[in-house]
Amino acid sequence: MAHNAVGPAAIDLTVGPNPFFWPAAGVRDFYERMSAAPVARVVIGEWVCSKRLPFWQGEIPLAIDRLRQAGKDVALTTLALITLKRERRLTADLMDMGLPVEVNDLSALRLVPEGASFWVGPMVNVYNEGTLRWLAGRGARRICLPPELPLASVAVLAEAGRAEGVAVEVWGHGRVPLAISGRCYHARLHDRAKDSCQFVCGEDADGRDVDTLDGQRFLTVNGVQTLSQTTASALRWLGPLANAGVGSLRLSPHSGDFAAVCTEYAEALAGRRTAGEAEGTLRALLPGHRLSDGFLAGGAGAAWSG
Amino acid sequence: MVMELVCPAGTPAALRAAVEAGAHAVYCGFADETNARNFPGLNFSREEMAEGIAHAHVRGVKVLVAINTFPRAGDEAIWHRAVADASHAGADALILADPGLLAHAADRHPGQRLHLSVQAAAANPDAINLYAEAFGVRRVVLPRVLTVEEIAAINREIDVETEVFVFGGLCVMAEGRCSLSSYATGQSPNMNGVCSPASHVAYSGEAGETVARLGGFTIHRTPKGQPAPYPTLCKGCFTSGEQTGHIFEDPVSLDATRVIPALARAGVSALKIEGRQRSRAYVAEVVRNFRAAVEAVAAGRPLPEAALLGLTEGQAATTGAYAKTWR
């Protein structure tokens, strides 16, 4: 039941950049499906490791064309950790592609052309109104908040975003990016250094799971990135997030029928499914996944409110 | 020129010990969530901070105040007050990480020298120049993801000073960009100033082993009678497929003593010792050794033997990311 006459603006869906290293054919198939999925926008590009990019770079322009023909907004992500000269040049090149850039390493901000607007991704530390306002002043138009923020902070930031004309997005679905490193843990698991990794991260379509010595499922290694092993889901929080004025949920790609995952969220947001029904369908779609929403609840991220 | 030695002080006693032992600068924080070592029983009240700064200044030593967590939305006033109080107390520099807080400090305290905390993880010249141009940051503490060669390359492209960690605890992730601790416990370095907090640690004896858990997750199992390391999440022993081991990092600490000459050649201005949670005796001994080391390097002499013996308390040491093979 709506408790006021003017309800909050509807939440839409944003597909984040694929964190994993998939073969080019798999990438093509994925974005083909995304062009038909009920999502408003897609962020595309290499987010984790620049060494992977040459293997699937050729798919990016094709995917962009396909997605834009289907009416999706498309942005290009920067790497989450930019250290090498080559990576800085790659980042500078993104600025000339005629599409918005999603900044996931703050250093990219310096390369954004004067007066151009940009998006901010979940790997940039936007924890408070001061930082949000500073980014808005430099041209930020969308900000996906860090996944560890609790609902209370999300609400304050969504309000600040409204005042600044910045759409605020929240981590909605997928393994949570918890850390990024100079060291490649995938290579380390194969007794290799990063420079001689032989692209072993490509062997694991959803990253490589790391469990505790007591068999508790815990983390997932994805090259230089460490993810949660749980699939975070904001399904149980759609009402509070809408009331807070959040503009979009970010869905983070994984293998399996991701378009069907998008559909479940779209249906739940449209009120055509209850959160419980959508959760049931998600669990059936994703048999190996465990869900979490502890960050939104303000506790340990691994926890699930259900 | 002698590289500046920046030493930790978790308490007023440790500050005096560091000053006595030869620190060029001491860094410390207020006893609250505004700094990234927000541990029970540590850090400074407003009064202790003022006294500590006066004590150091009389002896020609600088005090750098770390206000390097990310202010909580809706509660920025707590962090703004910390900036104002540290500035009024005469801090030689504030060590900040959050862009919003940096903007506030640059706007409201324009004369105050600002350093960029390692928590900002500024890992390339664009990031550093961004903070320098936007907020007038004068020195950057580099994240522990860079090789010595990369540090040298960065210094060629920036005008501000760089400070690097040389000793103590070792983050293997880009600092300030890690939510591993909050994933397991709900408490994070960025939001709460703690990592793998003791409040969420539980030890139990099981089948002849000491099991250390963090937020209920097993971090390691040690045979009884052997010293069990503190369960810092990224130094834990885990299983992946057929492999069991320290998947992220061994329980090692950083000792970059041997690379000090290379860091000097790379243009690094200041060396930082981690350990605000350490005792004053530990601080004094480490500071004495490093002071001798930086004096030797400045004079072109070999590193003194004593400095190389290490104080890692029986723990293995690593030069971390400074050597490319670490990756």
Side-chain angles (χ1 to χ4, degrees):
Chain A
M1 190 184 75
H3 58 270
N4 54 14
V6 183
I11 295 179
D12 63 21
L13 297 174
T14 303
V15 174
N18 176 24
F20 306 110
F21 185 27
W22 293 349
V27 171
R28 184 175 303 185
D29 180 60
F30 178 82
Y31 287 109
E32 184 73 35
R33 288 163 188 268
M34 285 307 100
S35 68
V39 300
R41 68 192 67 77
V42 176
V43 184
I44 187 170
E46 182 56 56
W47 192 40
V48 175
C49 178
S50 63
K51 290 181 68 179
R52 299 166 170 179
L53 187 58
F55 294 90
W56 71 279
Q57 194 164 19
E59 296 301 322
I60 295 176
L62 304 175
I64 291 170
D65 282 350
R66 193 78 189 81
L67 291 163
R68 295 185 77 188
Q69 277 165 23
K72 315 297 185 199
D73 274 347
V74 180
L76 298 163
T77 184
T78 71
L79 288 165
L81 178 63
I82 301 168
T83 56
L84 306 174
K85 264 224 157 75
R86 176 170 55 78
E87 295 169 343
R88 291 165 66 202
R89 278 197 300 271
L90 273 173
T91 310
D93 290 346
L94 291 179
M95 307 298 167
D96 305 326
M97 306 272 284
L99 288 172
V101 168
E102 179 169 286
V103 170
N104 269 298
D105 178 315
L106 207 55
S107 70
L109 217 54
R110 195 156 176 273
L111 306 172
V112 173
E114 191 81 37
S117 63
F118 58 91
W119 303 2
V120 177
M123 293 301 292
V124 174
N125 285 333
V126 185
Y127 281 86
N128 51 64
E129 312 89 292
T131 297
L132 185 144
R133 278 195 291 271
W134 179 71
L135 288 166
R138 293 190 68 111
R141 287 296 163 264
R142 305 190 60 80
I143 296 178
C144 180
L145 299 177
E148 75 168 355
L149 282 176
L151 179 66
S153 293
V154 169
V156 172
L157 290 164
E159 194 184 327
R162 253 196 321 281
E164 299 289 333
V166 173
V168 166
E169 193 176 307
V170 164
W171 192 264
H173 175 93
R175 290 182 155 173
V176 185
L178 297 174
I180 187 97
S181 176
R183 173 182 262 181
C184 177
Y185 301 107
H186 243 108
R188 183 169 154 90
L189 275 164
H190 289 260
D191 294 320
R192 294 172 193 161
K194 186 180 170 190
D195 288 346
S196 52
C197 68
Q198 296 172 48
F199 307 99
V200 284
C201 58
E203 293 172 8
D204 302 299
D206 292 297
R208 182 164 166 172
D209 288 346
V210 171
D211 301 329
T212 72
L213 293 179
D214 290 328
Q216 299 157 293
R217 297 174 61 182
F218 193 22
L219 303 169
T220 296
V221 159
N222 174 39
V224 294
Q225 185 182 51
T226 304
L227 299 160
S228 67
Q229 199 177 128
T230 57
T231 298
S233 173
L235 257 186
R236 289 168 168 262
W237 300 79
L238 301 183
L241 291 172
N243 287 330
V246 166
S248 189
L249 286 187
R250 170 153 303 208
L251 312 180
S252 188
H254 55 67
S255 68
D257 193 348
F258 193 71
V261 169
C262 297
T263 301
E264 282 315 301
Y265 282 89
E267 293 293 297
L269 285 167
R272 289 189 290 269
R273 296 229 217 306
T274 65
E277 288 164 355
E279 186 188 320
T281 317
L282 269 191
R283 288 185 187 280
L285 277 170
L286 309 170
H289 293 234
R290 282 174 317 129
L291 303 179
S292 66
D293 60 3
F295 281 137
L296 279 172
W304 173 243
S305 64
Chain B
M1 210 172 101
V2 181
M3 295 164 99
E4 182 178 304
L5 196 55
V6 183
C7 306
T11 60
L15 180 143
R16 290 191 294 272
V19 167
E20 171 81 10
H24 297 115
V26 173
Y27 68 101
C28 48
F30 291 122
D32 58 30
E33 62 206 321
T34 63
N35 86 88
R37 283 288 185 278
N38 179 25
F39 298 160
L42 274 196
N43 300 316
F44 290 63
S45 69
R46 267 34 181 193
E47 197 182 353
E48 289 167 338
M49 186 65 79
E51 287 168 5
I53 290 172
H55 177 90
H57 282 178
V58 167
R59 289 155 185 86
V61 175
K62 294 177 196 156
V63 176
L64 319 177
V65 179
I67 306 171
N68 57 347
T69 49
F70 292 81
R72 187 167 50 249
D75 286 325
E76 290 174 304
I78 297 169
W79 280 260
H80 293 172
R81 222 161 23 241
V83 165
D85 291 349
S87 191
H88 293 148
D92 295 278
L94 308 183
I95 310 171
L96 310 181
D98 180 64
L101 193 60
L102 281 156
H104 170 88
D107 182 44
R108 304 294 177 84
H109 306 275
Q112 177 65 56
R113 182 178 163 102
L114 302 178
H115 290 184
L116 190 67
S117 169
V118 71
Q119 295 300 113
N124 67 42
D126 294 321
I128 294 165
N129 287 327
L130 173 74
Y131 287 102
E133 289 159 9
F135 312 119
V137 161
R138 305 280 295 282
R139 179 188 290 178
V140 173
V141 186
L142 295 176
R144 284 162 273 194
V145 296
L146 300 166
T147 63
V148 173
E149 290 74 19
E150 285 166 354
I151 292 169
I154 285 173
N155 272 322
R156 285 193 288 271
E157 289 189 56
I158 62 172
D159 293 326
V160 300
E161 299 171 0
T162 51
E163 175 176 313
V164 303
F165 279 91
V166 285
F167 198 78
L170 172 72
C171 275
V172 297
M173 307 300 181
E175 291 95 337
R177 309 185 73 188
C178 180
S179 307
L180 288 173
S181 176
S182 51
Y183 184 67
T185 71
Q187 304 268 305
S188 77
N190 284 3
M191 296 193 296
N192 313 96
V194 294
C195 173
S196 307
S199 54
H200 290 68
V201 170
Y203 293 96
S204 66
E206 293 171 25
E209 290 179 314
T210 304
V211 184
R213 294 193 174 88
L214 179 72
F217 291 102
T218 302
I219 303 302
H220 39 68
R221 306 180 73 107
T222 316
K224 277 228 170 76
Q226 284 184 23
Y230 186 84
T232 303
L233 202 160
C234 60
K235 315 291 188 332
C237 184
F238 303 111
T239 294
S240 179
E242 300 293 295
Q243 279 158 286
T244 292
H246 296 97
I247 282 170
F248 301 102
E249 180 59 289
D250 303 320
V252 292
S253 61
L254 176 70
D255 182 355
T257 310
R258 286 170 200 281
V259 296
I260 293 174
L263 291 167
R265 286 193 297 275
V268 168
S269 301
L271 303 178
K272 184 163 215 159
I273 295 167
E274 188 275 346
R276 281 191 277 154
Q277 69 284 19
R278 299 293 193 159
S279 72
R280 63 183 166 176
Y282 170 93
V283 168
E285 193 169 0
V286 173
V287 171
R288 250 191 308 277
N289 276 342
F290 272 91
R291 178 66 186 259
V294 294
E295 296 288 351
V297 169
R301 287 183 273 116
L303 289 166
E305 280 301 311
L308 294 168
L309 286 177
L311 276 159
T312 46
E313 300 178 327
Q315 271 201 344
T318 173
T319 54
Y322 297 131
K324 204 172 182 185
T325 48
W326 179 85
R327 289 172 174 170

